[in-house]
Amino acid sequence: MAIEHEAAKPGRVLLTGWFSFLDGEVTAGDALALRRVRACLDHLRIPYDVAWSPGYRPGALHLSEAAGHRYTHLVFLCGPAHGPQVEELHRSFPSCVRIAVGTSVIDGSAPAVTGFHHVLPRDAPGGVRPVRDLAAAAPTGPGAPVVGVVLTHGQGEYAGARRHPEVAATLTRWLAAKDCACLELTTRLDAHDWRLCTTAEQFESVVSRLDLVVTDRLHGLVLALRAGVPALAVDPVAGGAKVSAQARALSWPATLGAGQCVRAELDRWWSWCLGDGRNLAERRREEFLGARLHDTGDDGTAGLARVLSTVAWPEGRRERTSGARSGP
């Protein structure tokens, strides 16, 4: 019903929040709280506009433009009703009935609060009963795929054949324009950094919950398929190296060379990975986890066993090593 950048008419409501300020930030909670309020006004058939920060939505309606229009009401929603930016709203829209809803009140006597005609807080001092945040009951939107992004900026051993910076820049620019939730991951384990996984099992637990992995790393590809998750892999080495070789070994088609890393190809394999690629990834997972040393397509362990079986190991060697402490 609402058109965010339509020329405002008398009798319209202007919806604002911290997402409206030039230096304000936009959070997921803000966006969902706004969705809740919009749904309420749509239900009541009340026309409204939304003022956005120019840093977040350059082409939308901004507060500087909205201040010149004849709004009858201004609604400030979510976040703290506090500080000079909120105070400026009262000065910029003096003729509006100003309402704060779903906000946190820190100081009820502050000009940012007293400037509103109506304050409907989610929490406030003085024994005011807290109410549910606006975001909690916001209408749900279509789900977006959750994408793990596993990139490397190293591998100096490839010297002049390295295309890692170009590949990473292309992938991250492309992903920024996709409707997806990106999760930056690294396969590096660390027992002391809380931001990193400590064990391979922890990393696998994360990957298994993803819809897709985008990677330029060999193990980004392998561990995604091991979890039954499709991978869109790009080999960052000119002419192809271990990522391309592993894709051939795994019979995984969604793999591009550095020179093929362009939007059209990425889009094509993105669609395939989120469609037919799911089934193929699950089949690969079943193959990996059901593998035996004698299987066709051996990973080298059968050959290792043959070589080691020719050695006359000392009596009791197996018993001594089996009790040794193991670690990641």
Side-chain angles (χ1 to χ4, degrees):
M1 171 181 171
I3 301 174
E4 292 183 8
H5 206 180
E6 178 183 277
K9 303 178 181 64
R12 294 182 78 84
V13 175
L14 180 65
L15 300 181
T16 68
W18 284 92
F19 53 82
S20 306
F21 299 137
L22 179 63
D23 298 321
E25 63 180 16
V26 184
T27 70
D30 293 337
L32 289 171
L34 175 61
R35 187 184 297 173
R36 172 67 169 168
V37 172
R38 293 179 70 161
C40 176
L41 298 191
D42 285 341
H43 178 72
L44 296 172
R45 297 185 178 276
I46 296 175
Y48 60 85
D49 294 324
V50 180
W52 288 100
S53 167
Y56 182 66
R57 290 194 176 174
L61 176 68
H62 305 147
L63 283 175
S64 58
E65 301 164 337
H69 297 310
R70 293 176 57 194
Y71 291 99
T72 56
H73 293 72
L74 178 143
V75 174
F76 179 81
L77 59 99
C78 198
H82 178 79
Q85 291 168 297
V86 179
E87 294 173 22
E88 181 61 30
L89 282 179
H90 304 313
R91 292 189 289 269
S92 298
F93 298 90
S95 62
C96 288
V97 175
R98 298 180 298 281
I99 306 166
V101 60
T103 57
S104 293
V105 174
I106 292 92
D107 178 1
S109 65
V113 178
T114 60
F116 288 106
H117 298 87
H118 305 278
V119 179
L120 308 169
R122 63 189 176 193
D123 57 87
V128 175
R129 183 178 65 87
V131 301
R132 189 169 58 189
D133 183 73
L134 289 166
T140 57
V146 181
V147 179
V149 184
V150 187
L151 302 177
T152 176
H153 300 280
Q155 299 182 341
E157 62 271 23
Y158 290 106
R162 291 183 75 257
R163 298 296 181 269
H164 297 60
E166 299 95 312
V167 166
T170 298
L171 286 175
T172 50
R173 280 197 306 268
W174 170 71
L175 284 167
K178 284 291 184 186
D179 181 16
C180 66
C182 287
L183 183 63
E184 184 177 16
L185 299 174
T186 177
T187 57
R188 184 170 71 84
L189 305 179
D190 194 306
H192 307 289
D193 189 338
W194 66 269
R195 294 166 294 186
L196 302 178
C197 294
T198 301
T199 66
E201 288 77 14
Q202 292 175 7
F203 186 83
E204 288 186 303
S205 292
V206 175
V207 174
S208 67
R209 289 162 170 78
L210 302 174
D211 296 305
L212 173 65
V213 169
V214 174
T215 186
D216 65 357
R217 304 204 68 158
L218 180 151
H219 281 124
L221 168 62
V222 173
L223 298 184
L225 298 184
R226 174 181 163 83
V229 175
L232 200 174
V234 179
D235 194 322
V237 179
K242 59 185 176 182
V243 174
S244 299
Q246 193 60 210
R248 291 195 299 272
L250 302 178
S251 298
W252 184 251
T255 308
L256 300 172
Q260 299 171 302
C261 187
V262 295
R263 185 175 299 274
E265 284 296 293
L266 292 169
D267 285 341
R268 181 168 74 90
W269 286 112
W270 170 278
S271 298
W272 180 84
C273 283
L274 294 177
D276 294 341
R278 296 175 187 266
N279 293 330
L280 183 57
E282 183 57 36
R283 291 203 298 274
R284 291 292 175 269
R285 175 182 181 275
E286 293 171 357
E287 291 169 8
F288 297 168
L289 301 187
R292 298 293 183 270
L293 292 180
H294 60 270
D295 286 347
T296 302
D298 168 50
D299 57 6
T301 51
L304 175 64
R306 284 194 300 270
V307 173
L308 294 180
S309 65
T310 64
V311 178
W313 297 104
E315 184 72 21
R317 172 70 175 180
R318 182 172 301 173
E319 286 73 20
R320 288 198 300 274
T321 58
S322 64
R325 184 179 67 87
S326 61

